[in-house]
Amino acid sequence: MEFIIIPIVFGVLFLFSCFFTVKQQTAVVVERFGKFLSIRNSGLQLKIPVIDRIAGRVNLRIQQLDVIIETKTKDNVFVKMKVSVQFKVIQEKVYEAFYKLEYPHDQITAYVFDVVRAEVPKLKLDDVFERKDDIAIAVKRELNEAMMTYGYDIINTLVTDIDPDMQVKNAMNRINAADREKTAAEFESEAQRIRIVAKAKAEAESKRLQGQGIADQRREIARGLVESVEVLNNVGINSQEASALIVVTQHYDTLQAIGADTNSNLILLPNSPQAGSDMLNNMVASFTASNQVGEVMKNTPKRIKKKDDHTSTDYNPSDTSNPTEPTN
């Protein structure tokens, strides 16, 4: 019985060793006695045990390799760059990818180093940040030309990080901050200038209107004085007496206006005691003269014409002792 079971077991094991499975997006390289036989794709596959063997499995999915490079820019700044390379094995070139290139990651890394260290030293640090896409395109172009021979297709290359030295970054931040402060100061100065100009224009317009108002006021005062002198002249007061009367009136009006304000203080400082006395005497004399003129006007008799003989008679309304009656 045992002699029957042992051959059956070996037969089952031999049968199972003839079959193998290949996963999706994977290729299997099969060799026979150490020589390449075939490439098997996904699914259930058959091989001859002992004679055939699986040499290796090749991943057909898109893979990513991150390469960190330290290099120098044109302005002698050392930066660390991270370049991400996305690649895959071409399904029709699995043989080349498996047999021609033993360490594909090392090969890709070498090409990335070569291209980046050839491109970055041509650029200044600011240009490296601005033209990182150009660096990525150059890396992809160079890798495609080199890796296509080995059965690899470069899908994309991305410069994902640019990291200068910490002191350089601090200096760049200070430069940026200083530039922004300069811009802010320029805007503040411009705003201050606009405010000053607007204020000056407003003050100029205010002074102009104030001067115009003062001129109009003085014009009206002068017109009023002229009219006052004309009125006084019409009642028999000459221009000199009228001017003196107007001066005295304005003087007392001024004193009344000053006295009406409880917070005002009036100090009269003449040039000399004699000058002050003379000014006061002149004012008093002018006021006395104006009173005398009024009395004279009251005592001056009016001339009344007769209707019949066209003769006139002096008539004084204030004199009741000897009235003169007009006759018909």
Side-chain angles (χ1 to χ4, degrees):
M1 188 66 180
E2 295 179 356
F3 295 102
I4 298 174
I5 295 176
I6 293 175
I8 292 174
V9 172
F10 276 103
V12 172
L13 292 176
F14 180 82
L15 182 63
F16 275 103
S17 64
C18 293
F19 298 96
F20 66 96
T21 58
V22 181
K23 293 182 179 181
Q24 189 68 31
Q25 292 295 319
T26 304
V28 172
V29 178
V30 179
E31 295 179 349
R32 178 170 291 175
F33 295 116
K35 183 180 178 180
F36 172 74
L37 176 63
S38 62
I39 297 173
R40 308 294 177 86
N41 296 318
S42 59
L44 181 63
Q45 302 292 336
L46 178 64
K47 67 179 180 66
I48 302 174
V50 181
I51 298 175
D52 298 336
R53 74 178 188 91
I54 298 175
R57 298 177 183 269
V58 178
N59 187 359
L60 300 179
R61 289 176 292 184
I62 296 176
Q63 305 175 60
Q64 178 169 309
L65 175 64
D66 294 331
V67 182
I68 298 177
I69 312 154
E70 184 175 10
T71 183
K72 186 186 75 167
T73 62
K74 187 176 181 180
D75 47 356
N76 296 324
V77 178
F78 282 90
V79 294
K80 288 183 178 180
M81 300 180 62
K82 182 180 180 181
V83 180
S84 298
V85 181
Q86 298 172 352
F87 64 95
K88 71 173 184 177
V89 176
I90 303 173
Q91 192 167 1
E92 293 78 12
K93 294 186 177 182
V94 175
Y95 176 86
E96 289 83 356
F98 185 78
Y99 286 102
K100 287 188 176 182
L101 201 58
E102 184 175 5
Y103 301 107
H105 287 187
D106 293 344
Q107 188 79 4
I108 293 174
T109 301
Y111 276 107
V112 171
F113 266 85
D114 182 66
V115 175
V116 170
R117 287 183 173 176
E119 294 292 331
V120 173
K122 299 178 184 178
L123 305 174
K124 293 183 178 180
L125 181 60
D126 293 337
D127 296 334
V128 172
F129 285 93
E130 295 176 1
R131 299 178 58 183
K132 68 182 186 66
D133 292 338
D134 296 340
I135 299 172
I137 292 172
V139 173
K140 180 181 178 182
R141 183 177 58 250
E142 189 73 20
L143 280 175
N144 262 332
E145 294 177 358
M147 300 301 293
M148 189 68 69
T149 307
Y150 305 111
Y152 285 87
D153 182 23
I154 306 301
I155 305 299
N156 202 359
T157 56
L158 303 172
V159 179
T160 56
D161 190 19
I162 301 174
D163 187 19
D165 186 78
M166 183 58 67
Q167 295 181 354
V168 176
K169 288 194 288 187
N170 292 336
M172 293 175 67
N173 291 333
R174 289 197 301 271
I175 292 172
N176 185 270
D179 185 63
R180 292 181 181 275
E181 289 178 358
K182 177 183 176 182
T183 304
E186 291 176 354
F187 278 107
E188 290 177 359
S189 300
E190 183 65 18
Q192 184 68 18
R193 185 188 69 81
I194 293 174
R195 285 195 292 267
I196 293 174
V197 171
K199 183 178 180 181
K201 289 182 179 179
E203 289 180 355
E205 183 67 14
S206 175
K207 295 294 183 183
R208 185 184 69 80
L209 295 176
Q210 183 179 2
Q212 184 177 353
I214 293 174
D216 293 340
Q217 179 184 7
R218 290 177 178 175
R219 190 180 301 110
E220 293 300 324
I221 292 174
R223 186 179 292 112
L225 292 176
V226 171
E227 292 177 356
S228 299
V229 172
E230 289 179 355
V231 171
L232 293 174
N233 288 336
N234 291 334
V235 298
I237 302 176
N238 59 32
S239 299
Q240 183 175 4
E241 293 173 346
S243 299
L245 179 59
I246 291 171
V247 169
V248 172
T249 302
Q250 290 179 345
H251 173 74
Y252 282 105
D253 289 342
T254 303
L255 293 179
Q256 183 179 2
I258 294 174
D261 190 358
T262 58
N263 296 324
S264 63
N265 296 320
L266 176 62
I267 300 176
L268 299 176
L269 296 175
N271 293 332
S272 64
Q274 183 63 33
S277 177
D278 293 341
M279 180 179 67
L280 183 60
N281 292 333
N282 291 334
M283 293 174 62
V284 172
S286 299
F287 185 71
T288 303
S290 64
N291 289 334
Q292 291 176 356
V293 170
E295 293 296 330
V296 171
M297 291 179 61
K298 290 171 61 178
N299 296 326
T300 300
K302 296 182 180 179
R303 301 181 66 84
I304 303 175
K305 295 182 180 181
K306 291 182 178 181
K307 295 181 180 179
D308 297 335
D309 54 2
H310 302 286
T311 60
S312 62
T313 306
D314 293 336
Y315 173 73
N316 188 0
S318 62
D319 188 4
T320 58
S321 61
N322 188 16
T324 304
E325 298 287 337
T327 59
N328 295 325

